C-alpha cells in the first residue's frame, strides 16, 4: 500500500494531556495512518506545514476485544505520533481546540463560584 503525504496524518489528538504536551514541551500528538512509519510522518509534516521535525515517537493501541451477539470482535487499531519540533519552530494545531478546553474550565470554575455563594 503506497501512502502519500496527504494520507499519513489523519488529524490532531484533542485531549487535555495533548494540549499540555503542546504548550509545555512543544510536542504535537497526531492520529496517523496505521501503516505510516517514522520517516514518512516526518516527511509529511515537513512538507505540509513547512516545519523542521526533531524526533517522532509512535504509540500503537490495539483495539479491545468486545462481544457482539455471539462473536468476539476486535476494535479498531489506533496509531498516534508524538512529534517534537526543532528549536524555533511551532505549530498550533490545537489552538481552537485548546481554547475550547480553557473556556470550558472557566465555565466550570464560574459555576462552582456561583454555587459557593
Amino acid at each position: 500500500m503506497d501512502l502519500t503525504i496527504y494520507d499519513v496524518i489523519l488529524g490532531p489528538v484533542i485531549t487535555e494531556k495533548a494540549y499540555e504536551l503542546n504548550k509545555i514541551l512543544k510536542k504535537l500528538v497526531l492520529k496517523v495512518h496505521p501503516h505510516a512509519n517514522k520517516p514518512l510522518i516526518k516527511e509529511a509534516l515537513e512538507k505540509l506545514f513547512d516545519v523542521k521535525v526533531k524526533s517522532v515517537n509512535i504509540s500503537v493501541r490495539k483495539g479491545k476485544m468486545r462481544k457482539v451477539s455471539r462473536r468476539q470482535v476486535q476494535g479498531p487499531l489506533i496509531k498516534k505520533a508524538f512529534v517534537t519540533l526543532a528549536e524555533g519552530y511551532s505549530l498550533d494545531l490545537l489552538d481552537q481546540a485548546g481554547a475550547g478546553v480553557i473556556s470550558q474550565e472557566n465555565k466550570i470554575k464560574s459555576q462552582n463560584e456561583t454555587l459557593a455563594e
Side-chain angles (χ1 to χ4, degrees):
M1 176 179 208
D2 290 334
L3 293 176
T4 64
I5 60 172
Y6 301 105
D7 298 331
V8 174
I9 300 170
L10 301 179
V13 175
I14 303 172
T15 60
E16 289 181 19
K17 189 172 184 179
Y19 180 72
E20 291 298 319
L21 280 172
N22 189 11
K23 290 299 173 189
I24 296 171
L25 300 177
K26 305 295 185 217
K27 285 192 175 196
L28 297 173
V29 184
L30 304 168
K31 290 180 195 172
V32 294
H33 194 277
H35 296 293
N37 55 15
K38 289 181 184 183
L40 193 57
I41 294 168
K42 182 177 179 177
E43 178 188 357
L45 274 172
E46 288 179 347
K47 286 186 178 177
L48 289 175
F49 298 108
D50 196 29
V51 294
K52 181 104 169 123
V53 175
K54 183 178 178 183
S55 67
V56 177
N57 295 325
I58 293 178
S59 169
V60 178
R61 190 189 79 181
K62 297 198 163 101
K64 295 181 180 178
M65 294 298 286
R66 297 192 172 112
K67 276 192 169 183
V68 176
S69 68
R70 296 179 186 166
R71 297 182 185 186
Q72 282 203 340
V73 179
Q74 188 169 9
L77 177 120
I78 297 172
K79 194 172 207 179
K80 293 189 281 187
F82 298 88
V83 179
T84 306
L85 298 177
E87 202 64 34
Y89 290 93
S90 66
L91 187 59
D92 289 330
L93 294 177
L94 297 176
D95 194 25
Q96 294 175 356
V101 170
I102 291 171
S103 64
Q104 189 171 2
E105 288 174 359
N106 291 337
K107 283 182 186 177
I108 292 170
K109 286 179 186 178
S110 64
Q111 288 174 354
N112 290 338
E113 289 172 1
T114 55
L115 291 175
E117 295 173 357

